[in-house]
Amino acid sequence: MGGESEKWILMVTARTPTNIAVIKYWGKRDETLILPINDSISVTLDPSHLCTTTTVSVSPSFDQDRMWLNGKEISLQGGRFQSCLREIRARAQDVEDKKKGIQIKKEDWQKLHLHIASYNNFPTAAGLASSAAGLACLVFSLAKLMNLKEDNSQLSAIARQGSGSACRSLYGGFVKWVMGKEDNGSDSLAVQLADEKHWDELVIIIAVVSAQQKETSSTSGMRDTVETSALIQHRAKEVVPKRTVQMEDAIQNRDFPSFARLACRDSNQFHAVCLDTYPPIFYMNDTSHRIISCVEKWNRAEGIPQVAYTFDAGPNAVMIARNRKTAALLLQRLLYNFPPQSDTDLDSYIIGDKSILIDAG
Ligand code: DP6
């Protein structure tokens, strides 16, 4: 395995942004392989804001696989972590670091142990897709460490087994998670619809309504939905297939009014399906509803949509403004109506573009 004293350590660090779905994934047809009941589409955020940074290391002196999240050790025993580790180890290749005199044969990876340290620069499990960035980063950094030959789409099928939405974070820009047809999940993977430069005037503003951990995890929430909601079948079979085609067109044509209407309606339907679950799941709160009303009122007054909103499994609002000028106006409105840390129950804002206020004119 190399390294005279066997005291060597090999490390890789990667950073992966989170993604926000504009056509939601909600419901699985296979819980173990994490196969969804519909296609979904997301936008990957600017990596400087909501991202996970993960360092993976390997050394013959490690006696077990261990992982730390935000400095605290967490268990790696969960089936999902183990599935990802198993899939990656099975594809590991020979690795050589001549400078350090390290040579790892592909069969060595079965015996070597890993240490993994991961940091989120945003609240974990607060409905800001932390698992998406986390699992995508874990898979990507391990794939680099172990010199995998697979491309990002093939890696996305591994990340999917860690957390469904994670598969979409392997690409920037606009990404589609194709649900696939195969029972073994081989065709359930992410594809890039358009890269990050394609529609770069969009600005994302996230209103952190609550940084608390959500009460109902996405995993158990969607399980309950599939078991009890009649509406979810209509959504998955009738609504989403048409909507994904329309959304793909809107993205290709940079057609903001269609994009905004589709994204808002899809978010609303996802939350309607949560309400149709029994017992019902409430992810949004009063502040979320007031933000929706504020955006809807403004869009109506303008005649054509200026801003899209979407909410994941939590009360935080993700708003997508059509350009910087609109984003600046939106921010003004939000700060006026929902000043952070006041009785509006709103913590802070995260803006997905560093230069928004400078360019606002
Ligand atoms: C509402 O990917 O967190 O954010 O696959 O069980 O880990 P698991 O669920 P997860 O669900 C995300 C749901 C969502 C919508 C979306 O991102 O598409």
Side-chain angles (χ1 to χ4, degrees):
M1 230 178 280
E4 263 173 45
S5 59
E6 293 288 74
K7 283 228 174 91
W8 55 266
I9 180 164
L10 203 62
M11 277 189 207
V12 167
T13 297
R15 201 168 61 148
T16 310
T18 194
N19 71 77
I20 301 291
V22 288
I23 300 291
K24 306 289 184 197
Y25 145 56
W26 197 253
K28 299 182 182 71
R29 59 179 204 278
D30 184 313
E31 290 262 344
T32 313
L33 290 171
I34 309 199
L35 301 178
I37 58 172
N38 59 257
D39 293 342
S40 54
I41 296 180
S42 60
V43 51
T44 300
L45 300 190
D46 174 343
S48 54
H49 295 280
L50 300 177
C51 72
T52 300
T53 305
T54 299
T55 299
V56 288
S57 53
V58 62
S59 168
S61 60
F62 297 163
D63 57 4
Q64 54 173 312
D65 291 339
R66 295 175 72 183
M67 177 162 181
W68 292 262
L69 177 61
N70 298 329
K72 225 177 112 195
E73 184 155 14
I74 59 164
S75 166
L76 266 172
Q77 289 319 306
R80 290 170 166 210
F81 275 129
Q82 290 304 324
S83 304
C84 290
L85 289 177
R86 196 182 46 245
E87 295 286 325
I88 294 168
R89 279 194 168 110
R91 293 166 175 79
Q93 302 294 323
D94 296 350
V95 171
E96 192 175 0
D97 185 326
K98 284 202 178 117
K99 267 200 223 136
K100 291 187 180 166
I102 302 168
Q103 213 181 10
I104 306 173
K105 293 264 152 233
K106 52 176 154 187
E107 51 281 6
D108 295 340
W109 289 109
Q110 301 297 333
K111 305 189 288 266
L112 284 165
H113 293 289
L114 302 159
H115 282 186
I116 302 162
S118 211
Y119 286 88
N120 289 335
N121 67 350
F122 59 98
T124 302
L128 286 173
S130 53
S131 63
L135 268 301
C137 201
L138 178 77
V139 168
F140 187 78
S141 50
L142 286 175
K144 290 287 159 237
L145 181 75
M146 300 190 196
N147 196 19
L148 264 64
K149 298 281 174 268
E150 278 68 15
D151 62 20
N152 280 12
S153 203
Q154 290 161 316
L155 292 183
S156 81
I158 303 178
R160 188 201 74 225
Q161 297 176 52
S163 179
S165 52
C167 73
R168 297 185 311 238
S169 269
L170 265 303
Y171 290 105
F174 291 92
V175 184
K176 178 176 174 183
W177 174 10
V178 182
M179 63 179 280
K181 289 195 182 71
E182 300 296 334
D183 287 342
N184 66 6
S186 56
D187 56 351
S188 184
L189 31 83
V191 292
Q192 190 180 48
L193 295 176
D195 71 15
E196 39 289 313
K197 288 186 218 84
H198 170 71
W199 201 353
D200 61 358
E201 61 264 43
L202 298 181
V203 178
I204 295 175
I205 295 179
I206 300 175
V208 184
V209 173
S210 166
Q212 302 287 309
Q213 291 222 348
K214 56 198 172 199
E215 270 172 41
T216 311
S217 73
S218 306
T219 308
S220 72
M222 67 176 85
R223 186 182 302 134
D224 291 350
T225 300
V226 170
E227 278 168 14
T228 63
S229 165
L231 200 56
I232 189 73
Q233 298 306 330
H234 171 69
R235 168 173 166 74
K237 294 199 177 89
E238 306 295 330
V239 180
V240 178
K242 291 186 196 116
R243 218 172 247 171
T244 40
V245 175
Q246 293 166 340
M247 183 56 99
E248 283 183 56
D249 282 351
I251 291 168
Q252 292 310 338
N253 301 325
R254 298 186 196 87
D255 170 359
F256 190 80
S258 303
F259 172 83
R261 279 190 206 103
L262 291 163
C264 296
R265 295 188 72 164
D266 200 69
S267 170
N268 294 339
Q269 189 180 62
F270 154 52
H271 291 277
V273 154
C274 289
L275 204 59
D276 191 46
T277 302
Y278 199 77
I281 310 166
F282 309 107
Y283 285 126
M284 293 195 283
N285 64 17
D286 284 353
T287 308
S288 322
H289 291 143
R290 285 179 51 219
I291 291 174
I292 293 181
S293 298
C294 174
V295 172
E296 288 288 357
K297 234 185 256 165
W298 187 28
N299 281 344
R300 190 156 315 155
E302 292 291 325
I304 47 165
Q306 303 296 313
V307 175
Y309 56 81
T310 185
F311 295 73
D312 277 342
N316 302 319
V318 178
M319 284 157 282
I320 307 174
R322 68 183 308 160
N323 55 37
R324 284 160 191 226
K325 196 164 174 199
T326 312
L329 293 171
L330 171 68
L331 202 56
Q332 256 176 23
R333 261 165 206 260
L334 290 170
L335 288 169
Y336 179 76
N337 290 303
F338 307 93
Q341 258 125 49
S342 67
D343 56 1
T344 54
D345 202 22
L346 205 137
D347 276 6
S348 57
Y349 291 100
I350 301 168
I351 301 157
D353 188 319
K354 301 165 281 308
S355 54
I356 164 188
L357 290 173
I358 300 165
D359 270 29

